[in-house]
């Protein structure tokens, strides 16, 4: 073995990266850095629970439906508790919007400058079949003056107001991917050291791709333009890849190029995915990686939320692929107008 191979650098930890990037923000006071660390810590804990779910009796349904009318899995509840506790104890957050909570959680923290919208465990129906799942988070600044209760203006903010966003992926390896508006970076969890290490620096989505991700089983009730686009993908011999776990599907498409679509359907007249704690975060990440995210008509980040658990149709991927899908909507509208 050459000397040069002895003591190879182990790379940059998430903590060191956050601190280094904080220096890019001259007026940063370290609170956002601490908040990102709090999220990473909760992610480590949830990852541990997921990895041993089958052994400690926390797989399977919890036996309660959440506000969405979806069957809560035990790990949904555990992840929700873990992230709320980490954010509350971290002291940087004044309010939390969670998929698993009907109302905003006001932490009554006068010092909390940030609002966090989170899907604690997305894709949890896949837990028992050992398919990758994830956590999705958005971070906003509090708008109203500190000290009083949080207000609607703090909670229903456009995606353009995000100061940071990202996801944790509990997959073949656990990862944390996030942006603070200056590019996207990915960190892989080294379990023996209990640290996230920088593994994917300045992530950019390919200009195009040959993967399309959509639940084709629902195509009978898709808008016609969506089926026209799916036919186009088939004519191009694209690959259909759909795991049924948004974070896993998005992460793959971010790395190799592909479009993910959750359109309106009979079962989901406004689409299924939630604007505040699923779509806005991934839209921020994909735009920072050079991609695009719309509801089929307008930029996701420009949508003014009107309710906490608002759903939107979701088209996300390389700009060229999203534009192509939208061109079929425009053609369909033109045909109707003529
Ligand atoms: P369907 C999981 O419930 C989720 O929110 C996403 O992770 C996933 O992409 C989608 O729903 C799957 O929904 O209707 O295709 O089963």
């Amino acid at each position: 073995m050459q000397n040069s191979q002895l003591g190879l650098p182990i790379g940059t930890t998430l903590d060191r990266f956050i601190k280094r990037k904080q220096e890019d923000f001259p007026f940063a006071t370290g609170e956002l850095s601490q908040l990102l660390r709090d999220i990473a810590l909760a992610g480590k804990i949830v990852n541990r629970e997921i990895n041993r779910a089958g052994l400690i009796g926390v797989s399977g349904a919890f036996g309660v439906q959440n506000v969405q009318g979806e069957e809560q899995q035990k790990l949904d509840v555990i992840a929700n508790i873990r992230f709320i506790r980490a954010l509350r104890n971290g002291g940087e957050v004044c309010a939390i919007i969670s998929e698993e909570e009907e109302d905003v959680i006001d932490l009554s923290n006068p010092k909390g400058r940030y609002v966090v919208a989170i899907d604690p465990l997305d894709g949890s129906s896949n837990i028992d079949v050992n398919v990758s799942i994830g956590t999705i988070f958005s971070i906003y600044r509090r708008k109203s003056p500190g000290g009083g209760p949080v207000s609607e203006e703090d909670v229903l903010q456009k995606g353009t107001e995000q100061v940071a966003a990202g996801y944790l992926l509990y997959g073949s390896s656990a990862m944390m991917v996030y942006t603070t508006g200056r590019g996207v970076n990915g960190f892989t969890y080294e379990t023996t050291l209990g640290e996230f290490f920088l593994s994917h620096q300045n992530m950019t989505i390919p200009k195009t791709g040959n993967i399309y991700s959509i639940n084709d089983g629902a195509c009978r009730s898709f808008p016609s333009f969506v089926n026209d686009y799916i036919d186009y993908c088939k004519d191009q011999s694209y690959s259909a890849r759909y795991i049924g776990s948004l974070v896993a599907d998005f992460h793959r498409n971010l790395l190799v190029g592909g479009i993910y679509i959750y359109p309106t359907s009979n079962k989901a007249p406004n689409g299924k995915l939630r604007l505040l704690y699923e779509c806005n975060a991934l839209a921020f990440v994909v735009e920072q990686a050079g991609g695009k995210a719309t509801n089929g008509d307008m930029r996701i980040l420009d949508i003014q939320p009107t309710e906490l658990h608002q759903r939107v149709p979701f088209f996300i991927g390389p700009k060229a692929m999203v534009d192509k899908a939208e061109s079929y909507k425009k053609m369909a509208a033109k045909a109707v107008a003529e």
Side-chain angles (χ1 to χ4, degrees):
M1 171 177 277
Q2 301 293 325
N3 277 351
S4 61
Q5 289 174 299
L6 297 174
L8 286 173
I10 55 171
T12 303
T13 64
L14 174 63
D15 277 9
R16 189 178 298 167
F17 183 86
I18 290 173
K19 173 117 183 57
R20 196 179 295 160
K21 286 296 177 185
Q22 180 184 315
E23 286 148 19
D24 291 348
F25 294 85
F27 303 105
T29 55
E31 287 144 332
L32 178 60
S33 298
Q34 184 52 51
L35 175 46
L36 288 167
R37 288 189 194 95
D38 294 338
I39 289 172
L41 173 61
K44 291 177 186 177
I45 297 168
V46 169
N47 182 59
R48 182 193 62 189
E49 310 283 87
I50 290 167
N51 289 344
R52 53 186 195 158
L55 301 172
I56 57 172
V58 294
S59 53
F62 183 58
V64 173
Q65 286 196 342
N66 64 13
V67 64
Q68 327 280 339
E70 294 163 346
E71 195 64 38
Q72 277 188 313
Q73 301 298 302
K74 289 175 191 162
L75 276 169
D76 281 321
V77 176
I78 290 170
N80 191 45
I81 291 167
R82 291 292 188 186
F83 276 98
I84 290 171
R85 187 178 298 158
L87 295 173
R88 184 192 305 275
N89 295 345
E92 308 303 346
V93 174
C94 61
I96 300 169
I97 302 118
S98 167
E99 174 178 326
E100 304 304 334
E101 301 288 337
E102 183 161 1
D103 302 313
V104 179
I105 301 173
D106 184 337
L107 296 177
S108 305
N109 173 10
K111 296 196 177 87
R113 293 176 56 198
Y114 295 99
V115 174
V116 174
I118 191 163
D119 183 352
L121 203 55
D122 179 79
S124 51
S125 56
N126 291 297
I127 292 171
D128 292 359
V129 294
N130 212 359
V131 166
S132 301
I133 49 183
T135 297
I136 310 171
F137 63 89
S138 284
I139 302 174
Y140 298 86
R141 274 196 194 78
R142 176 173 188 158
K143 296 284 189 188
S144 62
V150 294
S151 64
E152 190 172 278
E153 67 168 330
D154 295 321
V155 170
L156 297 179
Q157 299 188 52
K158 283 185 182 180
T160 46
E161 296 300 302
Q162 294 173 99
V163 293
Y167 56 88
L168 288 128
L169 174 60
Y170 312 109
S172 48
S173 63
M175 283 194 70
M176 179 164 165
V177 176
Y178 78 90
T179 181
T180 57
R182 296 193 180 193
V184 179
N185 292 283
F187 300 79
T188 298
Y189 187 47
E190 213 298 344
T191 52
T192 60
L193 296 177
E195 287 282 4
F196 283 102
F197 284 91
L198 181 62
S199 54
H200 296 67
Q201 193 159 13
N202 293 323
M203 297 173 80
T204 53
I205 194 166
K207 293 281 181 235
T208 187
N210 58 13
I211 288 174
Y212 66 103
S213 306
I214 189 167
N215 185 346
D216 198 51
C219 70
R220 294 285 183 261
S221 67
F222 287 162
S224 60
F225 84 92
V226 173
N227 286 318
D228 292 342
Y229 177 67
I230 292 173
D231 288 343
Y232 167 80
C233 293
K234 290 174 178 173
D235 294 342
Q236 301 299 309
S237 304
Y238 287 177
S239 297
R241 292 286 183 274
Y242 191 73
I243 299 176
S245 186
L246 171 59
V247 174
D249 278 318
F250 173 74
H251 184 73
R252 178 203 54 243
N253 292 351
L254 177 66
L255 290 179
V256 302
I259 186 170
Y260 173 101
I261 300 174
Y262 205 107
T264 59
S265 66
N266 292 346
K267 194 173 72 166
N270 296 312
K272 175 181 183 183
L273 301 177
R274 276 56 56 122
L275 176 62
L276 276 181
Y277 41 79
E278 290 170 325
C279 300
N280 270 339
L282 299 186
F284 190 14
V285 168
V286 86
E287 287 198 2
Q288 284 292 311
K292 184 171 184 179
T294 76
N295 65 357
D297 296 308
M298 70 182 284
R299 187 183 180 216
I300 289 289
L301 298 183
D302 286 336
I303 297 174
Q304 174 57 55
T306 53
E307 55 183 72
L308 275 188
H309 302 289
Q310 173 176 348
R311 298 173 192 266
V312 291
F314 199 38
F315 297 72
I316 185 167
K319 184 178 179 305
M321 296 185 86
V322 174
D323 287 347
K324 187 68 177 175
E326 289 188 334
S327 72
Y328 282 89
K329 183 164 190 175
K330 292 186 177 76
M331 279 189 277
K334 192 162 174 256
V336 167
E338 283 167 354

